[in-house]
Structures are given as C-alpha cells and as structure tokens.
C-alpha cells in the first residue's frame, strides 16, 4: 500500500434513535466523535416491515389493472 494517500480509519460512536450507542470503524469525523442517526433500522419502515402510510395497500396495482387490464400484445 502506498503511504499517505489513504484516509484515517478510526473508531467512532454511533447513537441510534432509541439512545443505544455502539462503536464502529469509519473514515467519518475524528477519533471518538459521535454520529447521531435520525433514521435507523429500529424505526425505518423498510427494516421493520411496515409501510408507514407511504403507499396504499394494493391501490396502485388495482388502479393499473382497471385502466390497462384489457390490453393484449398478441394478434387476434
């Protein structure tokens, strides 16, 4: 490895939204800094399996099928 071209890789604290803290190695910040997360796996719908009101269940698909359900690509 070439010398003096790589960023400093060090330990920082990561604080999750529920207050828990863990340590990880990163190039972000300085040694001992705390990275406070606004969104993390304990609250984000993508990780907890909920939709959180972002999309209606089945509404988009039903609307598409109602609008384009009779179309065919083959010859009759």
């Amino acid at each position: 490895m070439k010398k003096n071209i790589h960023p400093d890789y060090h330990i920082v604290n990561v604080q999750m939204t529920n207050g828990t803290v863990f340590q990880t190695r990163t190039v972000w910040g300085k040694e001992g800094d705390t990275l406070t997360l606004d969104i993390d796996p304990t609250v984000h719908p993508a990780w907890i399996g909920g939709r959180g009101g972002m999309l209606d269940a089945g509404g988009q698909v039903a609307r598409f099928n109602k609008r384009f359900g009779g179309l065919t690509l083959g010859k009759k």
Side-chain angles (χ1 to χ4, degrees), residues 4-24:
N4 301 323
I5 64 167
H6 300 284
D8 180 36
Y9 193 60
H10 50 273
I11 295 176
V12 298
N13 298 316
V14 178
Q15 182 175 4
M16 311 248 304
T17 57
N18 64 0
T20 59
V21 177
F22 67 92
Q23 291 185 331
T24 190

Side-chain angles (χ1 to χ4, degrees), residues 49-71:
R51 291 189 183 261
M54 291 183 199
L55 294 174
D56 55 332
Q60 303 257 342
V61 175
R63 193 172 14 215
F64 178 86
N65 287 336
K66 181 179 177 185
R67 189 169 181 189
F68 300 108
L71 296 179

Side-chain angles (χ1 to χ4, degrees), residues 16-42:
M16 311 248 304
T17 57
N18 64 0
T20 59
V21 177
F22 67 92
Q23 291 185 331
T24 190
R25 294 177 55 95
T26 184
V27 295
W28 178 86
K30 298 182 299 257
E31 178 83 26
D33 280 353
T34 299
L35 174 63
T36 305
L37 301 178
D38 294 331
I39 299 174
D40 62 34
T42 62

